[in-house]
């Protein structure tokens, strides 16, 4: 009786070692790796969805102040250049005042521009646009890396459950089914639209 029991335990231990050595655990290991990779793809999509609108709004906020100052300069310049000046201007008080007012408006707008430049030696929106561009590139790269890792994990899993001996373990023990690989949607080759 003890001998039979010892033989049975030894047989189970041997069977366990054979099963472990022949890859029976590869199927769930690769399945979990593929699931984790898909989770990372979703994480990067969420990061992109959260980050881009916030970055765009930040840039718009900085650009708005600068846009107001630059618009005032452009408008004042346009008004100043519309006032026709000739030799008779200096003798006509109304035309002279019109010319002087237009120039004063341009001077005031330029003064506000200079104050903005003094406050922000490098116009902030330029830095913000560069930072936005960098963040967008980085985000898209992270998404691409997560997609690539997922595709590789699914390929390893699907190969394991379709080849010998993994196909045996997949059907007998795990009931594993092939996973879908990432496929791009129509239009995914175009980057997301960013509007200001």
């Amino acid at each position: 009786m003890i001998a039979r029991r010892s033989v049975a335990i030894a047989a189970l231990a041997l069977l366990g070692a054979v099963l472990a050595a022949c890859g029976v655990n590869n199927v769930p290991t690769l399945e979990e790796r593929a699931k984790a990779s898909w989770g990372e793809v979703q994480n990067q999509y969420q990061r992109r969805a959260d980050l881009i609108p916030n970055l765009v709004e930040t840039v718009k906020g900085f650009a708005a102040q600068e846009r107001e100052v630059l618009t005032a300069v452009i408008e004042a310049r346009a008004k100043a250049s519309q006032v026709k000046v000739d030799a008779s201007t200096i003798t006509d008080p109304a035309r002279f005042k019109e010319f002087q007012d237009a120039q004063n408006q341009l001077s005031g707008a330029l003064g506000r521009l200079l104050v903005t430049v003094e406050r922000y030696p490098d116009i902030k929106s330029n830095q913000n646009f560069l930072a936005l561009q960098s963040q967008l590139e980085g985000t898209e790269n992270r998404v691409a890396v997560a997609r690539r890792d997922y595709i590789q994990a699914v390929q390893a899993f699907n190969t394991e459950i379709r080849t010998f001996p993994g196909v045996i373990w997949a059907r007998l023990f795990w009931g594993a089914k092939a996973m879908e690989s990432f496929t791009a949607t129509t239009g995914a080759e175009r980057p997301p639209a960013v509007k200001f």
Side-chain angles (χ1 to χ4, degrees), residues 127-166:
Q127 292 174 353
N128 289 323
F129 281 106
L130 293 174
L132 173 63
Q133 180 182 359
S134 176
Q135 287 291 330
L136 291 174
E137 289 171 358
T139 298
E140 292 308 306
N141 286 339
R142 287 176 184 222
V143 169
V145 167
R147 287 177 186 161
R148 182 203 63 211
D149 291 348
Y150 172 72
I151 290 168
Q152 290 172 346
V154 167
Q155 179 187 16
F157 174 76
N158 287 347
T159 301
E160 179 68 22
I161 67 169
R162 290 183 178 143
T163 57
F164 185 80

Short mmCIF file of all heavy atoms in Angstrom, two decimals, residues 127-166:
data_model
loop_
_atom_site.label_atom_id
_atom_site.label_comp_id
_atom_site.label_asym_id
_atom_site.label_seq_id
_atom_site.Cartn_x
_atom_site.Cartn_y
_atom_site.Cartn_z
N GLN A 127 6.96 79.37 -26.62
CA GLN A 127 7.43 78.26 -25.79
C GLN A 127 6.30 77.25 -25.57
O GLN A 127 6.52 76.05 -25.59
CB GLN A 127 7.92 78.77 -24.44
CG GLN A 127 9.18 79.59 -24.51
CD GLN A 127 9.52 80.20 -23.16
OE1 GLN A 127 8.76 80.12 -22.21
NE2 GLN A 127 10.69 80.82 -23.09
N ASN A 128 5.10 77.77 -25.36
CA ASN A 128 3.97 76.87 -25.12
C ASN A 128 3.62 76.06 -26.36
O ASN A 128 3.26 74.90 -26.27
CB ASN A 128 2.76 77.66 -24.62
CG ASN A 128 2.98 78.15 -23.22
OD1 ASN A 128 3.58 77.46 -22.40
ND2 ASN A 128 2.52 79.34 -22.92
N PHE A 129 3.70 76.69 -27.53
CA PHE A 129 3.44 75.94 -28.75
C PHE A 129 4.50 74.85 -28.95
O PHE A 129 4.17 73.74 -29.34
CB PHE A 129 3.40 76.86 -29.98
CG PHE A 129 2.11 77.59 -30.12
CD1 PHE A 129 2.02 78.94 -29.84
CD2 PHE A 129 0.96 76.93 -30.54
CE1 PHE A 129 0.83 79.62 -29.96
CE2 PHE A 129 -0.24 77.60 -30.66
CZ PHE A 129 -0.31 78.96 -30.38
N LEU A 130 5.75 75.18 -28.65
CA LEU A 130 6.80 74.17 -28.75
C LEU A 130 6.58 73.05 -27.74
O LEU A 130 6.77 71.87 -28.05
CB LEU A 130 8.18 74.81 -28.56
CG LEU A 130 8.63 75.77 -29.66
CD1 LEU A 130 9.95 76.43 -29.27
CD2 LEU A 130 8.75 75.05 -30.99
N ALA A 131 6.18 73.42 -26.52
CA ALA A 131 5.89 72.40 -25.50
C ALA A 131 4.70 71.56 -25.91
O ALA A 131 4.70 70.34 -25.74
CB ALA A 131 5.64 73.06 -24.15
N LEU A 132 3.67 72.20 -26.47
CA LEU A 132 2.51 71.46 -26.95
C LEU A 132 2.91 70.47 -28.03
O LEU A 132 2.53 69.30 -27.99
CB LEU A 132 1.43 72.41 -27.47
CG LEU A 132 0.23 71.76 -28.15
CD1 LEU A 132 -0.55 70.89 -27.16
CD2 LEU A 132 -0.69 72.82 -28.74
N GLN A 133 3.69 70.94 -28.98
CA GLN A 133 4.15 70.06 -30.05
C GLN A 133 4.93 68.88 -29.48
O GLN A 133 4.72 67.73 -29.88
CB GLN A 133 5.02 70.85 -31.03
CG GLN A 133 5.56 70.02 -32.18
CD GLN A 133 6.45 70.83 -33.09
OE1 GLN A 133 6.68 72.03 -32.89
NE2 GLN A 133 6.98 70.18 -34.10
N SER A 134 5.82 69.16 -28.54
CA SER A 134 6.61 68.09 -27.92
C SER A 134 5.71 67.09 -27.19
O SER A 134 5.91 65.88 -27.30
CB SER A 134 7.62 68.71 -26.96
OG SER A 134 8.33 67.70 -26.28
N GLN A 135 4.73 67.60 -26.44
CA GLN A 135 3.82 66.72 -25.71
C GLN A 135 2.98 65.88 -26.67
O GLN A 135 2.74 64.69 -26.41
CB GLN A 135 2.91 67.54 -24.79
CG GLN A 135 3.61 68.08 -23.57
CD GLN A 135 3.99 66.97 -22.60
OE1 GLN A 135 3.35 65.94 -22.49
NE2 GLN A 135 5.08 67.19 -21.89
N LEU A 136 2.52 66.49 -27.76
CA LEU A 136 1.73 65.74 -28.74
C LEU A 136 2.57 64.63 -29.37
O LEU A 136 2.10 63.50 -29.51
CB LEU A 136 1.18 66.67 -29.82
CG LEU A 136 0.11 67.66 -29.38
CD1 LEU A 136 -0.24 68.61 -30.52
CD2 LEU A 136 -1.12 66.95 -28.87
N GLU A 137 3.79 64.96 -29.74
CA GLU A 137 4.68 63.95 -30.33
C GLU A 137 4.94 62.84 -29.32
O GLU A 137 4.89 61.65 -29.66
CB GLU A 137 6.00 64.58 -30.75
CG GLU A 137 5.89 65.47 -31.97
CD GLU A 137 7.17 66.25 -32.24
OE1 GLU A 137 8.15 66.14 -31.46
OE2 GLU A 137 7.17 67.00 -33.24
N GLY A 138 5.24 63.21 -28.08
CA GLY A 138 5.51 62.22 -27.04
C GLY A 138 4.31 61.33 -26.78
O GLY A 138 4.44 60.11 -26.62
N THR A 139 3.13 61.94 -26.76
CA THR A 139 1.91 61.17 -26.52
C THR A 139 1.66 60.19 -27.65
O THR A 139 1.34 59.02 -27.40
CB THR A 139 0.70 62.14 -26.36
OG1 THR A 139 0.94 62.96 -25.22
CG2 THR A 139 -0.59 61.38 -26.19
N GLU A 140 1.79 60.65 -28.86
CA GLU A 140 1.58 59.75 -30.00
C GLU A 140 2.63 58.64 -30.02
O GLU A 140 2.32 57.50 -30.37
CB GLU A 140 1.57 60.54 -31.31
CG GLU A 140 0.36 61.45 -31.46
CD GLU A 140 -0.97 60.74 -31.24
OE1 GLU A 140 -1.24 59.72 -31.90
OE2 GLU A 140 -1.75 61.21 -30.39
N ASN A 141 3.85 58.95 -29.63
CA ASN A 141 4.89 57.91 -29.55
C ASN A 141 4.55 56.88 -28.48
O ASN A 141 4.74 55.68 -28.68
CB ASN A 141 6.26 58.52 -29.28
CG ASN A 141 6.83 59.21 -30.49
OD1 ASN A 141 6.44 58.94 -31.62
ND2 ASN A 141 7.76 60.12 -30.26
N ARG A 142 4.04 57.34 -27.34
CA ARG A 142 3.65 56.40 -26.27
C ARG A 142 2.53 55.49 -26.74
O ARG A 142 2.53 54.30 -26.44
CB ARG A 142 3.20 57.17 -25.04
CG ARG A 142 4.30 57.82 -24.27
CD ARG A 142 3.73 58.63 -23.13
NE ARG A 142 4.77 59.34 -22.43
CZ ARG A 142 4.82 59.45 -21.13
NH1 ARG A 142 3.89 58.93 -20.38
NH2 ARG A 142 5.80 60.11 -20.56
N VAL A 143 1.57 56.06 -27.45
CA VAL A 143 0.47 55.24 -27.98
C VAL A 143 1.03 54.21 -28.96
O VAL A 143 0.66 53.03 -28.92
CB VAL A 143 -0.61 56.13 -28.63
CG1 VAL A 143 -1.61 55.29 -29.43
CG2 VAL A 143 -1.34 56.96 -27.58
N ALA A 144 1.91 54.64 -29.84
CA ALA A 144 2.49 53.73 -30.83
C ALA A 144 3.27 52.60 -30.16
O ALA A 144 3.18 51.44 -30.57
CB ALA A 144 3.39 54.50 -31.80
N VAL A 145 4.04 52.92 -29.12
CA VAL A 145 4.81 51.89 -28.41
C VAL A 145 3.86 50.92 -27.71
O VAL A 145 4.06 49.69 -27.76
CB VAL A 145 5.79 52.54 -27.40
CG1 VAL A 145 6.36 51.52 -26.44
CG2 VAL A 145 6.90 53.25 -28.15
N ALA A 146 2.81 51.43 -27.09
CA ALA A 146 1.85 50.56 -26.41
C ALA A 146 1.15 49.64 -27.42
O ALA A 146 0.96 48.45 -27.16
CB ALA A 146 0.82 51.39 -25.65
N ARG A 147 0.80 50.17 -28.58
CA ARG A 147 0.18 49.35 -29.63
C ARG A 147 1.15 48.26 -30.09
O ARG A 147 0.75 47.11 -30.24
CB ARG A 147 -0.19 50.22 -30.84
CG ARG A 147 -1.37 51.11 -30.63
CD ARG A 147 -1.55 51.95 -31.87
NE ARG A 147 -2.57 52.94 -31.71
CZ ARG A 147 -2.68 54.02 -32.47
NH1 ARG A 147 -1.82 54.25 -33.44
NH2 ARG A 147 -3.65 54.88 -32.27
N ARG A 148 2.40 48.65 -30.32
CA ARG A 148 3.40 47.67 -30.77
C ARG A 148 3.58 46.56 -29.75
O ARG A 148 3.61 45.38 -30.09
CB ARG A 148 4.74 48.38 -31.02
CG ARG A 148 5.82 47.43 -31.55
CD ARG A 148 7.21 47.91 -31.30
NE ARG A 148 7.45 47.99 -29.87
CZ ARG A 148 8.26 48.86 -29.29
NH1 ARG A 148 8.92 49.75 -30.01
NH2 ARG A 148 8.41 48.87 -27.98
N ASP A 149 3.68 46.93 -28.46
CA ASP A 149 3.86 45.92 -27.41
C ASP A 149 2.66 44.98 -27.35
O ASP A 149 2.82 43.78 -27.15
CB ASP A 149 4.08 46.59 -26.06
CG ASP A 149 5.42 47.31 -25.98
OD1 ASP A 149 6.28 47.12 -26.86
OD2 ASP A 149 5.60 48.09 -25.01
N TYR A 150 1.47 45.54 -27.51
CA TYR A 150 0.26 44.71 -27.50
C TYR A 150 0.27 43.75 -28.69
O TYR A 150 -0.01 42.56 -28.54
CB TYR A 150 -0.99 45.58 -27.52
CG TYR A 150 -2.25 44.77 -27.70
CD1 TYR A 150 -2.73 43.98 -26.67
CD2 TYR A 150 -2.94 44.77 -28.91
CE1 TYR A 150 -3.87 43.22 -26.83
CE2 TYR A 150 -4.08 44.01 -29.08
CZ TYR A 150 -4.54 43.24 -28.03
OH TYR A 150 -5.67 42.47 -28.20
N ILE A 151 0.58 44.25 -29.86
CA ILE A 151 0.61 43.40 -31.06
C ILE A 151 1.60 42.26 -30.87
O ILE A 151 1.31 41.10 -31.19
CB ILE A 151 0.96 44.24 -32.31
CG1 ILE A 151 -0.22 45.17 -32.65
CG2 ILE A 151 1.31 43.36 -33.49
CD1 ILE A 151 0.10 46.24 -33.67
N GLN A 152 2.77 42.55 -30.31
CA GLN A 152 3.78 41.51 -30.07
C GLN A 152 3.30 40.50 -29.03
O GLN A 152 3.51 39.29 -29.19
CB GLN A 152 5.10 42.14 -29.64
CG GLN A 152 5.79 42.89 -30.76
CD GLN A 152 7.01 43.67 -30.28
OE1 GLN A 152 7.22 43.86 -29.08
NE2 GLN A 152 7.82 44.12 -31.23
N ALA A 153 2.64 40.97 -27.98
CA ALA A 153 2.14 40.06 -26.94
C ALA A 153 1.04 39.16 -27.49
O ALA A 153 1.01 37.95 -27.21
CB ALA A 153 1.62 40.86 -25.74
N VAL A 154 0.15 39.71 -28.30
CA VAL A 154 -0.92 38.91 -28.91
C VAL A 154 -0.33 37.90 -29.90
O VAL A 154 -0.76 36.75 -29.95
CB VAL A 154 -1.97 39.81 -29.59
CG1 VAL A 154 -2.90 39.01 -30.48
CG2 VAL A 154 -2.77 40.55 -28.52
N GLN A 155 0.67 38.34 -30.64
CA GLN A 155 1.31 37.43 -31.59
C GLN A 155 1.94 36.25 -30.85
O GLN A 155 1.78 35.09 -31.26
CB GLN A 155 2.38 38.17 -32.40
CG GLN A 155 3.12 37.26 -33.38
CD GLN A 155 4.29 37.96 -34.04
OE1 GLN A 155 4.75 39.01 -33.58
NE2 GLN A 155 4.77 37.39 -35.11
N ALA A 156 2.63 36.50 -29.75
CA ALA A 156 3.25 35.42 -28.97
C ALA A 156 2.17 34.48 -28.41
O ALA A 156 2.32 33.25 -28.48
CB ALA A 156 4.10 35.99 -27.84
N PHE A 157 1.09 35.04 -27.88
CA PHE A 157 0.01 34.23 -27.33
C PHE A 157 -0.65 33.39 -28.42
O PHE A 157 -0.83 32.18 -28.27
CB PHE A 157 -1.02 35.12 -26.63
CG PHE A 157 -2.23 34.36 -26.17
CD1 PHE A 157 -2.17 33.57 -25.03
CD2 PHE A 157 -3.44 34.42 -26.86
CE1 PHE A 157 -3.28 32.85 -24.60
CE2 PHE A 157 -4.54 33.72 -26.43
CZ PHE A 157 -4.47 32.93 -25.30
N ASN A 158 -1.03 34.03 -29.51
CA ASN A 158 -1.71 33.31 -30.59
C ASN A 158 -0.81 32.24 -31.20
O ASN A 158 -1.29 31.15 -31.55
CB ASN A 158 -2.20 34.29 -31.67
CG ASN A 158 -3.39 35.10 -31.22
OD1 ASN A 158 -4.03 34.81 -30.21
ND2 ASN A 158 -3.69 36.15 -31.96
N THR A 159 0.47 32.52 -31.31
CA THR A 159 1.41 31.51 -31.82
C THR A 159 1.48 30.32 -30.87
O THR A 159 1.46 29.16 -31.30
CB THR A 159 2.81 32.13 -32.03
OG1 THR A 159 2.70 33.21 -32.95
CG2 THR A 159 3.80 31.10 -32.53
N GLU A 160 1.53 30.61 -29.57
CA GLU A 160 1.61 29.54 -28.57
C GLU A 160 0.39 28.63 -28.62
O GLU A 160 0.52 27.41 -28.55
CB GLU A 160 1.77 30.14 -27.16
CG GLU A 160 1.83 29.13 -26.05
CD GLU A 160 3.09 28.27 -26.07
OE1 GLU A 160 4.11 28.69 -26.66
OE2 GLU A 160 3.07 27.18 -25.48
N ILE A 161 -0.80 29.19 -28.75
CA ILE A 161 -2.01 28.35 -28.70
C ILE A 161 -2.30 27.68 -30.04
O ILE A 161 -3.20 26.84 -30.12
CB ILE A 161 -3.26 29.12 -28.22
CG1 ILE A 161 -3.68 30.20 -29.22
CG2 ILE A 161 -3.02 29.69 -26.84
CD1 ILE A 161 -5.05 30.81 -28.92
N ARG A 162 -1.54 27.99 -31.05
CA ARG A 162 -1.75 27.37 -32.37
C ARG A 162 -0.64 26.41 -32.75
O ARG A 162 -0.73 25.76 -33.79
CB ARG A 162 -1.88 28.46 -33.43
CG ARG A 162 -3.16 29.24 -33.31
CD ARG A 162 -3.30 30.25 -34.41
NE ARG A 162 -4.57 30.95 -34.29
CZ ARG A 162 -4.74 32.22 -34.55
NH1 ARG A 162 -3.73 32.95 -34.97
NH2 ARG A 162 -5.91 32.77 -34.40
N THR A 163 0.43 26.35 -31.97
CA THR A 163 1.55 25.47 -32.30
C THR A 163 1.70 24.41 -31.23
O THR A 163 1.22 24.55 -30.11
CB THR A 163 2.86 26.28 -32.42
OG1 THR A 163 3.11 26.98 -31.21
CG2 THR A 163 2.80 27.27 -33.58
N PHE A 164 2.40 23.35 -31.59
CA PHE A 164 2.62 22.23 -30.68
C PHE A 164 3.74 22.58 -29.73
O PHE A 164 4.74 23.16 -30.15
CB PHE A 164 2.97 20.98 -31.49
CG PHE A 164 3.09 19.76 -30.66
CD1 PHE A 164 1.97 19.07 -30.26
CD2 PHE A 164 4.35 19.31 -30.25
CE1 PHE A 164 2.09 17.95 -29.47
CE2 PHE A 164 4.46 18.19 -29.47
CZ PHE A 164 3.33 17.50 -29.08
N PRO A 165 3.69 22.29 -28.49
CA PRO A 165 2.66 21.60 -27.73
C PRO A 165 1.61 22.55 -27.14
O PRO A 165 0.67 22.11 -26.50
CB PRO A 165 3.44 20.91 -26.63
CG PRO A 165 4.55 21.87 -26.32
CD PRO A 165 4.90 22.48 -27.65
N GLY A 166 1.77 23.87 -27.35
CA GLY A 166 0.85 24.83 -26.76
C GLY A 166 -0.59 24.60 -27.14
O GLY A 166 -1.50 24.83 -26.33
#
